[in-house]
Amino acid sequence: MTVDVLRRPAPAERQARVAVAVLFFTNGALFANLLPRYPQIKADLGIGNAAYGLAVAAFPAGAIAAGLAAGVAIRRLGSARAAVAGTLLTGAGILVAGLADSVVLFAAALFLAGAMDAVTDVAQNAHGLRVQRRYGRSIINSFHAIWSIGAVTGGSMAAAAIALDLPRGQHLAISAVVFAVAACVALRFCLPGPDIEPASETESASGVEPVSGTDGASGTDAAVASDGDGRGAQQAKRPAAARRTAYVLAALVLIATAGTLVEDAGSSWAALYLSDSLSASVTLAASGYIALVGAQFIGRSIGDRLVDRFGQRTVARTGGLIVVAGMGLALAVPTVPGTILGFAAAGFGVATLVPAAMHEADELPGLKPGSGLAIVSWLMRLGFLLSPPVVGLVADSASLRAGLLVVPLAGLLVLLSAGVLQSRRR
């Protein structure tokens, strides 16, 4: 471990960490301010469940449609500016959705908000990973824990606004302005300069650009490799490296998607399973999702220390095992307390998966800055889009208990894919 890793972060780096935390907080709080307003919006628009479901699906659809554009935005604006711009436009989209007087406008506004939320998500993670590299240790999980706090805060703000009979437009306008100001202030303290990290000190000091694919060969070996058959060997290694990058990227998408599948199972089906299948009271049925989110927050709060000590790979595999064992046992022996504990185990197990996949994707060689991160963030959202109808179809044809097998299966997927993650750093 180098002296640079062990050094105390400079004041500017500590300020940048706080600034990124603010961006994560605002991102979590903005959309959470709208969610409790959905029943009122549905009633005001006078739409049925089918139309409402399609309209609400516009948010993840917008995120998927614009997800790959995040990398372009980061390269042109920088990760910090892209995150703040996305925050401002997300707030505007949410405000329009709250004021919409037609289902078409409501869906269009959600589509815009989802698209901009995807840009913000990738950009803030890119800047957070940049700050993490300056720190020389894992801090990305703490940002995702702050996002969870923001989501709880946003939901509480909405609940308070509803209790006070604050008009929807005023409530969402206040939310948009407050968090827009917070994001703009945070921008002042983000890291300056381009997001592309400089070459390593060894390469810079030598003044020699390493030959790709030499695997640390000496200067003489590199010179030989540049002539005759050596050049052909170099060219032959490039497709192999590209295939390796594609394989790792695919595995990272699976890991991140596993995390989203578990999150969606908790948010979409936990209360329904507890109330309908296990006859829990309405109040107690809400405990399933609360247990999942609460345990996930705890996992993210301690995740950085666990990653630094044991490595991403071990933490992810242990988390996958906890998901399989915890939720698998809950489904095998269905009881209300056991199911609540099962959802808690699932939330704790997947706590570090999305941050880990994003970190590894951002470090992949051979990709433009922000591209790996954008691809993982884009494709993992398919879990949010596809999970509800898949679980619903299984529930209709068999039972919701069978449909929730998606949770332990997601844990098994992590166990099989976690080998691409980093082991413990020496």
Side-chain angles (χ1 to χ4, degrees):
M1 188 175 287
T2 64
V3 175
D4 185 59
V5 170
L6 293 174
R7 70 175 177 81
R8 182 178 176 84
E13 293 163 350
R14 293 197 296 271
Q15 290 176 354
R17 180 177 183 177
V18 174
V20 174
V22 171
L23 293 178
F24 271 81
F25 181 89
T26 59
N27 183 245
L30 268 175
F31 190 55
N33 265 276
L34 179 64
L35 289 175
R37 293 286 193 171
Y38 272 177
Q40 184 183 8
I41 293 173
K42 179 177 179 293
D44 289 348
L45 293 177
I47 55 178
N49 290 327
Y52 169 76
L54 289 173
V56 171
F59 189 90
I64 292 172
L68 291 181
V72 178
I74 290 172
R75 290 191 291 274
R76 291 187 177 181
L77 299 177
S79 57
R81 289 191 183 93
V84 173
T87 298
L88 300 181
L89 292 173
T90 299
I94 289 172
L95 176 58
V96 174
L99 296 173
D101 57 1
S102 70
V103 66
V104 174
L105 181 58
F106 177 59
L110 285 181
F111 186 91
L112 170 66
M116 294 302 100
D117 178 76
V119 173
T120 301
D121 184 39
V122 176
Q124 68 187 10
N125 274 283
H127 205 78
L129 290 169
R130 186 180 171 197
V131 175
Q132 176 173 277
R133 286 190 287 271
R134 297 287 190 93
Y135 266 67
R137 57 184 172 85
S138 179
I139 60 173
I140 190 65
N141 290 289
S142 67
F143 294 136
H144 286 258
I146 294 295
W147 185 95
S148 299
I149 296 175
V152 173
T153 301
S156 301
M157 287 174 60
I162 293 171
L164 294 172
D165 290 327
L166 191 66
R168 194 162 62 239
Q170 291 183 20
H171 158 221
L172 295 176
I174 292 171
S175 169
V177 170
V178 167
F179 295 121
V181 171
C184 290
V185 172
L187 178 61
R188 296 184 55 195
F189 299 96
C190 289
L191 294 176
D195 287 281
I196 302 176
E197 296 296 322
S200 66
E201 294 181 5
T202 304
E203 294 169 5
S204 300
S206 65
V208 179
E209 182 179 352
V211 180
S212 175
T214 59
D215 296 329
S218 65
T220 304
D221 293 336
V224 172
S226 66
D227 294 326
D229 294 338
R231 181 175 300 170
Q234 288 283 335
Q235 294 173 348
K237 286 184 178 181
R238 288 171 186 165
R243 287 193 297 271
R244 167 66 180 170
T245 298
Y247 162 75
V248 172
L249 193 58
L252 294 176
V253 169
L254 291 178
I255 292 170
T257 302
T260 63
L261 286 173
V262 173
E263 290 180 21
D264 183 76
S267 62
S268 299
W269 302 106
L272 189 63
Y273 176 66
L274 283 163
S275 60
D276 289 359
S277 301
L278 301 182
S279 302
S281 66
V282 175
T283 303
L284 190 58
S287 301
Y289 178 63
I290 293 172
L292 186 146
V293 174
Q296 187 180 55
F297 169 73
I298 294 172
R300 287 175 170 174
S301 298
I302 64 175
D304 291 314
R305 293 191 293 274
L306 294 175
V307 167
D308 283 335
R309 181 170 182 179
F310 301 108
Q312 296 275 22
R313 185 185 305 166
T314 299
V315 172
R317 281 177 171 163
T318 303
L321 185 60
I322 291 173
V323 173
V324 172
M327 200 61 193
L329 182 61
L331 293 173
V333 186
T335 64
V336 172
T339 299
I340 294 173
L341 290 176
F343 277 112
F348 186 83
V350 302
T352 65
L353 295 186
V354 172
M358 288 183 168
H359 171 259
E360 296 290 340
D362 199 48
E363 300 281 326
L364 280 177
L367 297 177
K368 294 180 180 179
S371 295
L373 193 59
I375 291 171
V376 169
S377 179
W378 176 55
L379 290 177
M380 79 176 187
R381 291 175 185 269
L382 290 174
F384 288 116
L385 189 63
L386 299 178
S387 176
V390 170
V391 174
L393 286 172
V394 175
D396 285 342
S397 61
S399 67
L400 184 51
R401 181 182 171 193
L404 286 175
L405 284 172
V406 69
V407 177
L409 288 176
L412 182 61
L413 187 62
V414 173
L415 289 172
L416 296 175
S417 306
V420 300
L421 298 174
Q422 289 182 6
S423 58
R424 181 180 177 183
R425 290 183 291 183
R426 301 296 180 183

